[in-house]
Amino acid sequence: MDRINIQASSDYDVLIGAGLIDSCGTHIRECLIRAQKALIVSDTNVAPLYLARVKSSLEREGFSVSEFVFEAGEEKKNIESIAGMWAVMAGEEFTRTDIVVSLGGGVATDMGGFAAATFLRGIKVVQIPTSLLAMADAAIGGKTGIDLPQGKNLAGAFHQPSMVIEDTDCLTTLSPETFTEGMAEVIKYAFIMDPELYETLSGIASEGRAMTLQNDIDTVTKILRCCVKDKAEVITEDEHDNGRRQILNYGHTVGHVIERNSNFTLAHGVCVAKGMGIITDACLKAGLTTEETARSIKDLIKAYGLPTEDPITAKDAVSGAMNDKKKRGEKISVILVNEIGKAEIKKMTPEEFTEFLR
Ligand code: GLY
């Protein structure tokens, strides 16, 4: 098992290893000695696979366990779901030493974290991500929240977890599509800050193993460790997203608009991949990157079965982005990759961004 420490306003460990679901109670007990009650937040896809095992592990450590299972999908990432979680915790008379345990992909970890951040003005949360996307990115770093009709993740809070438990066995049960969309967040780290990870991923692709990577969990685990270390470095430097952390939004500004315009029928990772491709084309056109870098970026995205294009217009992308959190005042923070492993944060007015994308 690997243990990677995150140094934020509160320090915590990310545990990565096979079979951790069955020992999660022991690990949680080690870091939360006084907790007595736990609410497991999960969705209708993940709960049948893992909830009973998480529950027995917690019960073996003396926790009294409640459950909140929501219908899988982005549509339920809303205030009604959070109110449901608050109601269970209030009904069970949770106190401030009790905990939420999120079990699932990014929707479960974002919502479990937000319910914990807001119940009794803040109780502890442990994240148990089960998708590649959530293990590599969403479950780490304390971003929690829900969507509003006007945009994705518009209401939320920074609330660092007490522990993140990543059982790599869970990756074997993901559908190939869900694994592939998670690769978009993995590839993102290579582009924005990790040239060595880029070499690893492109080596795998040139050996023709990119599309069967899910069958090689040892290699996936090594790659995941790189992403978690990268994220740990960024969070330590800028926990509250005022500076360097914004590079993690590479591909997301346009990606979120595409995702919302599809009524969430397109997966988040797929939209991030499209966003990275669109920004790369724009960078090349503006002379902010070279032909070689642009080709390397787009070839790697495609090698892992992800798209790099979308018919969205520059005007639609920018008006959608103006509703996004990545807006700062009247400017939008656009993340550019000029060379592999180096990201730049460029503030643009809506007019500049439209011109850039056109
Ligand atoms: N998922 C981007 C971040 O954690 O900042």
Side-chain angles (χ1 to χ4, degrees):
M1 180 183 81
D2 286 296
R3 191 181 279 267
I4 298 170
N5 187 252
I6 310 271
Q7 287 169 7
S9 45
S10 56
D11 284 12
Y12 56 95
D13 287 335
V14 180
L15 310 184
I16 306 174
L20 290 177
I21 287 265
D22 292 312
S23 55
C24 68
T26 314
H27 299 298
I28 293 171
R29 181 51 84 206
E30 274 164 22
C31 75
L32 293 163
I33 301 161
R34 287 162 63 212
Q36 290 177 336
K37 295 176 188 166
L39 172 70
I40 302 176
V41 170
S42 193
D43 71 34
T44 48
N45 289 340
V46 174
L49 296 172
Y50 303 117
L51 193 144
R53 286 164 58 193
V54 170
K55 187 174 180 186
S56 348
S57 184
L58 287 164
E59 284 174 346
R60 282 197 295 278
E61 292 298 325
F63 284 92
S64 152
V65 180
S66 316
E67 300 164 19
F68 184 90
V69 177
F70 61 92
E71 202 179 311
E74 189 81 22
E75 299 76 38
K76 293 290 173 193
K77 193 174 166 186
N78 58 31
I79 193 65
E80 283 80 31
S81 298
I82 298 296
M85 296 170 204
W86 289 333
V88 176
M89 291 190 279
E92 295 295 330
E93 300 180 353
F94 272 45
T95 69
R96 294 188 77 181
T97 51
D98 296 323
I99 64 168
V100 173
V101 176
S102 320
L103 172 70
V107 175
T109 58
D110 276 13
M111 285 211 292
F114 188 49
T118 44
F119 188 72
L120 300 180
R121 298 196 179 87
I123 65 170
K124 305 282 188 200
V125 62
V126 171
Q127 303 288 19
I128 308 186
T130 57
S131 69
L132 179 59
L133 188 146
M135 288 188 197
D137 195 66
I140 306 164
K143 277 192 182 175
T144 75
I146 52 169
D147 301 335
L148 299 182
Q150 293 83 354
K152 201 172 148 68
N153 297 332
L154 282 189
F158 285 99
H159 188 59
Q160 297 296 336
S162 299
M163 180 171 265
V164 182
I165 300 174
E166 309 201 337
D167 183 343
T168 50
D169 284 347
C170 297
L171 297 170
T172 61
T173 62
L174 298 176
S175 68
E177 294 75 26
T178 307
F179 183 84
T180 295
E181 73 138 336
M183 281 307 294
E185 295 283 4
V186 169
I187 293 171
K188 173 190 84 176
Y189 284 100
F191 295 152
I192 59 171
M193 64 185 291
D194 195 337
E196 269 179 49
L197 178 59
Y198 172 81
E199 290 305 324
T200 304
L201 293 170
S202 62
I204 292 168
S206 49
E207 286 160 19
R209 296 192 294 124
M211 293 309 292
T212 52
L213 186 60
Q214 191 180 4
N215 304 330
D216 180 0
I217 289 300
D218 286 348
T219 303
V220 179
T221 304
K222 284 190 197 124
I223 290 169
L224 184 58
R225 208 181 292 138
C226 297
C227 298
V228 173
K229 283 188 177 151
D230 288 341
K231 185 138 191 187
E233 183 193 310
V234 173
I235 299 302
T236 301
E237 191 179 319
D238 174 28
E239 178 178 350
H240 292 110
D241 213 9
N242 293 317
R244 190 171 178 223
R245 185 168 180 167
Q246 291 169 44
I247 67 172
L248 299 175
N249 291 329
Y250 181 51
H252 286 60
T253 309
V254 175
H256 277 171
V257 183
I258 297 171
E259 191 179 356
R260 201 172 66 239
N261 288 356
S262 80
N263 270 330
F264 298 102
T265 54
L266 288 176
H268 175 71
V270 168
C271 298
V272 168
K274 285 171 174 253
M276 292 192 289
I278 289 169
I279 289 290
T280 301
D281 285 341
C283 268
L284 181 61
K285 192 176 58 74
L288 296 171
T289 193
T290 60
E291 293 262 4
E292 191 193 341
T293 301
R295 193 170 42 249
S296 304
I297 290 175
K298 291 179 72 177
D299 284 353
L300 195 70
I301 297 172
K302 286 185 214 157
Y304 283 86
L306 289 158
T308 57
E309 281 163 18
D310 189 86
I312 191 165
T313 63
K315 191 165 159 276
D316 286 351
V318 175
S319 67
M322 289 311 286
N323 265 334
D324 197 271
K325 297 183 304 341
K326 286 152 211 54
K327 179 179 73 173
R328 309 236 154 196
E330 281 315 302
K331 294 204 171 183
I332 302 169
S333 294
V334 183
I335 313 307
L336 313 178
V337 169
N338 315 112
E339 64 184 274
I340 301 287
K342 282 207 182 120
E344 182 196 353
I345 305 168
K346 211 169 170 61
K347 301 223 182 304
M348 296 188 196
T349 61
E351 296 73 29
E352 286 164 344
F353 193 29
T354 311
E355 193 48 42
F356 178 69
L357 291 177
R358 194 162 271 148

